[in-house]
Amino acid sequence: MAPLVANYYLTYRCNARCHFCDIWALEPKQEASFETIQKNLADLRRLGVRYVDFTGGEPLLRKDVNEIFAEAKRQGFTTSMTTNTILYPKRAKEMQGLVDFLNFSLDGGDAETHDQSRGVKIFETLVESVQIAHSLGEYPVLNHTVTAQNYDRIAEVAELGQRLNARIWLNPAFTAHSNYNSKKNPTPAMVTAIETAAKKYSNLGYNKAALAFIEAGGNDTQNPRCKAVEAVIAISPNDELLLPCYHFAQKGIAIDGRLYEMYKQSEEVEEFRQSQGKLSVCEGCTVWCYLIPSFFKGLDKYWVLNQATYVGEFLARKRFLQRV
């Protein structure tokens, strides 16, 4: 079966300093050229990928980001991007119509909470960015990372979304930094808070399969549900195939124009494909950006909940767009 999605890291550079993420602290290597990305996109099409999430770091820090998205659209991909919005007001016009799923990061319902979490003062820029996007006919979803620090304040985020005419997508944090908690898994209290808030506010969405997986204790290496290598292709800014995934990468293999052949024929890729979800670092994992694509493969309760989530969210966004 074809991989479902490419998580394409355009840059590890970031102009925010979020407490739950350390990507901004990485020492970035030389980023791939536009031509290299263009070739990789062509190989992704040959492999059957239809959806590319261009991520980072902060994607808008790449000067040629609009050209990259335009090329992806030319090749027929569905695209997504999440931005912290610092640069969006300056680059919104050139990105207009190039991003199918535009997401703005939101960490709190007020400036103090959001800015403290982001490590920079950008709340007003976020509000401005939503207004600019609407004026351009774009309707971004506000991605709210639910952490141990903010799970009891989801209602404030929902109400901000109502004021901004924006839907909110709730993502439970999964990293294990000192400001969060000592395990990969979000806490049960966070799961309950997400479910409770979503029942009260119609502009909130979340993945039902992801929460059920969290409640079950995450990935079990003896009976793995993760299909990170089979479902997702992760590419680094410096043109490496990351195996088995970005978050727990054990190896980065230089692509050098060979992405199609590597994914189809490489013994190293096959080795990681066979061990996906079984490595010691995979125990208890709840990294939803790899698990959610995994839930599309294999028929079980997570497949059912995942399908129900996306059908429900599609209908909810359709109703939302009819109102605005």
Side-chain angles (χ1 to χ4, degrees), residues 19 145-152 173 179-181 187 190:
H19 73 78
T145 301
V146 184
T147 71
Q149 287 74 39
N150 66 19
Y151 72 85
D152 58 342
N179 288 326
Y180 179 43
N181 55 321
T187 64
M190 289 167 56

mmCIF file of all heavy atoms in Angstrom, residues 19 145-152 173 179-181 187 190:
data_model
loop_
_atom_site.group_PDB
_atom_site.id
_atom_site.type_symbol
_atom_site.label_atom_id
_atom_site.label_comp_id
_atom_site.label_asym_id
_atom_site.label_seq_id
_atom_site.Cartn_x
_atom_site.Cartn_y
_atom_site.Cartn_z
ATOM 1 N N HIS A 19 7.741 26.373 25.120
ATOM 2 C CA HIS A 19 8.287 25.599 26.236
ATOM 3 C C HIS A 19 8.128 24.102 26.036
ATOM 4 O O HIS A 19 8.853 23.307 26.643
ATOM 5 C CB HIS A 19 7.644 26.031 27.551
ATOM 6 C CG HIS A 19 6.219 25.585 27.717
ATOM 7 N ND1 HIS A 19 5.869 24.311 28.073
ATOM 8 C CD2 HIS A 19 5.061 26.272 27.574
ATOM 9 C CE1 HIS A 19 4.557 24.215 28.142
ATOM 10 N NE2 HIS A 19 4.050 25.384 27.843
ATOM 11 N N THR A 145 -2.306 23.405 21.245
ATOM 12 C CA THR A 145 -1.591 22.333 21.914
ATOM 13 C C THR A 145 -1.995 22.318 23.380
ATOM 14 O O THR A 145 -1.738 23.265 24.121
ATOM 15 C CB THR A 145 -0.067 22.527 21.789
ATOM 16 O OG1 THR A 145 0.291 22.563 20.410
ATOM 17 C CG2 THR A 145 0.673 21.378 22.455
ATOM 18 N N VAL A 146 -2.633 21.234 23.789
ATOM 19 C CA VAL A 146 -3.117 21.106 25.158
ATOM 20 C C VAL A 146 -1.997 20.503 26.009
ATOM 21 O O VAL A 146 -1.532 19.392 25.744
ATOM 22 C CB VAL A 146 -4.374 20.224 25.223
ATOM 23 C CG1 VAL A 146 -4.914 20.177 26.656
ATOM 24 C CG2 VAL A 146 -5.448 20.759 24.280
ATOM 25 N N THR A 147 -1.567 21.241 27.010
ATOM 26 C CA THR A 147 -0.445 20.817 27.853
ATOM 27 C C THR A 147 -0.882 20.708 29.312
ATOM 28 O O THR A 147 -2.015 21.047 29.676
ATOM 29 C CB THR A 147 0.722 21.822 27.767
ATOM 30 O OG1 THR A 147 0.337 23.030 28.446
ATOM 31 C CG2 THR A 147 1.074 22.143 26.322
ATOM 32 N N ALA A 148 0.051 20.257 30.136
ATOM 33 C CA ALA A 148 -0.221 20.160 31.570
ATOM 34 C C ALA A 148 -0.464 21.534 32.182
ATOM 35 O O ALA A 148 -1.052 21.640 33.254
ATOM 36 C CB ALA A 148 0.955 19.477 32.275
ATOM 37 N N GLN A 149 -0.005 22.588 31.507
ATOM 38 C CA GLN A 149 -0.169 23.945 32.031
ATOM 39 C C GLN A 149 -1.502 24.587 31.637
ATOM 40 O O GLN A 149 -1.956 25.512 32.313
ATOM 41 C CB GLN A 149 0.978 24.840 31.543
ATOM 42 C CG GLN A 149 2.317 24.559 32.201
ATOM 43 C CD GLN A 149 2.964 23.280 31.696
ATOM 44 O OE1 GLN A 149 2.894 22.972 30.516
ATOM 45 N NE2 GLN A 149 3.575 22.535 32.590
ATOM 46 N N ASN A 150 -2.132 24.142 30.554
ATOM 47 C CA ASN A 150 -3.291 24.898 30.060
ATOM 48 C C ASN A 150 -4.564 24.072 29.878
ATOM 49 O O ASN A 150 -5.564 24.595 29.414
ATOM 50 C CB ASN A 150 -2.937 25.596 28.740
ATOM 51 C CG ASN A 150 -2.657 24.621 27.595
ATOM 52 O OD1 ASN A 150 -3.049 23.453 27.634
ATOM 53 N ND2 ASN A 150 -1.985 25.113 26.557
ATOM 54 N N TYR A 151 -4.551 22.775 30.230
ATOM 55 C CA TYR A 151 -5.706 21.936 29.904
ATOM 56 C C TYR A 151 -6.981 22.372 30.627
ATOM 57 O O TYR A 151 -8.088 22.073 30.175
ATOM 58 C CB TYR A 151 -5.402 20.461 30.193
ATOM 59 C CG TYR A 151 -5.343 20.084 31.652
ATOM 60 C CD1 TYR A 151 -6.499 19.755 32.357
ATOM 61 C CD2 TYR A 151 -4.131 20.020 32.322
ATOM 62 C CE1 TYR A 151 -6.453 19.396 33.690
ATOM 63 C CE2 TYR A 151 -4.062 19.656 33.644
ATOM 64 C CZ TYR A 151 -5.227 19.352 34.337
ATOM 65 O OH TYR A 151 -5.172 18.995 35.651
ATOM 66 N N ASP A 152 -6.850 23.091 31.734
ATOM 67 C CA ASP A 152 -8.033 23.539 32.465
ATOM 68 C C ASP A 152 -8.572 24.871 31.942
ATOM 69 O O ASP A 152 -9.515 25.428 32.515
ATOM 70 C CB ASP A 152 -7.708 23.656 33.957
ATOM 71 C CG ASP A 152 -6.562 24.618 34.249
ATOM 72 O OD1 ASP A 152 -5.801 24.936 33.313
ATOM 73 O OD2 ASP A 152 -6.419 25.045 35.414
ATOM 74 N N ALA A 173 -0.419 17.536 23.870
ATOM 75 C CA ALA A 173 1.041 17.541 23.759
ATOM 76 C C ALA A 173 1.569 16.143 24.037
ATOM 77 O O ALA A 173 0.982 15.373 24.779
ATOM 78 C CB ALA A 173 1.647 18.535 24.740
ATOM 79 N N ASN A 179 9.228 21.094 31.376
ATOM 80 C CA ASN A 179 8.064 21.904 31.711
ATOM 81 C C ASN A 179 6.749 21.169 31.518
ATOM 82 O O ASN A 179 5.685 21.715 31.772
ATOM 83 C CB ASN A 179 8.041 23.177 30.862
ATOM 84 C CG ASN A 179 9.100 24.162 31.284
ATOM 85 O OD1 ASN A 179 9.420 24.253 32.455
ATOM 86 N ND2 ASN A 179 9.657 24.884 30.341
ATOM 87 N N TYR A 180 6.824 19.934 31.025
ATOM 88 C CA TYR A 180 5.600 19.176 30.790
ATOM 89 C C TYR A 180 5.490 18.095 31.849
ATOM 90 O O TYR A 180 5.345 18.341 33.018
ATOM 91 C CB TYR A 180 5.633 18.635 29.343
ATOM 92 C CG TYR A 180 4.438 17.811 28.956
ATOM 93 C CD1 TYR A 180 3.152 18.211 29.312
ATOM 94 C CD2 TYR A 180 4.594 16.632 28.240
ATOM 95 C CE1 TYR A 180 2.060 17.454 28.970
ATOM 96 C CE2 TYR A 180 3.499 15.878 27.879
ATOM 97 C CZ TYR A 180 2.231 16.289 28.253
ATOM 98 O OH TYR A 180 1.158 15.539 27.906
ATOM 99 N N ASN A 181 5.576 16.835 31.514
ATOM 100 C CA ASN A 181 5.577 15.769 32.504
ATOM 101 C C ASN A 181 6.616 14.729 32.114
ATOM 102 O O ASN A 181 7.189 14.795 31.032
ATOM 103 C CB ASN A 181 4.187 15.141 32.648
ATOM 104 C CG ASN A 181 3.642 14.642 31.333
ATOM 105 O OD1 ASN A 181 3.829 15.270 30.313
ATOM 106 N ND2 ASN A 181 2.954 13.521 31.335
ATOM 107 N N THR A 187 -1.637 13.433 30.318
ATOM 108 C CA THR A 187 -2.263 12.909 31.525
ATOM 109 C C THR A 187 -3.740 12.606 31.286
ATOM 110 O O THR A 187 -4.378 13.214 30.426
ATOM 111 C CB THR A 187 -2.152 13.934 32.664
ATOM 112 O OG1 THR A 187 -2.901 15.106 32.296
ATOM 113 C CG2 THR A 187 -0.705 14.305 32.908
ATOM 114 N N MET A 190 -5.964 15.658 31.183
ATOM 115 C CA MET A 190 -5.984 16.395 29.921
ATOM 116 C C MET A 190 -6.985 15.781 28.943
ATOM 117 O O MET A 190 -7.718 16.488 28.254
ATOM 118 C CB MET A 190 -4.588 16.427 29.306
ATOM 119 C CG MET A 190 -3.601 17.309 30.047
ATOM 120 S SD MET A 190 -1.895 17.022 29.530
ATOM 121 C CE MET A 190 -2.009 17.293 27.777
#
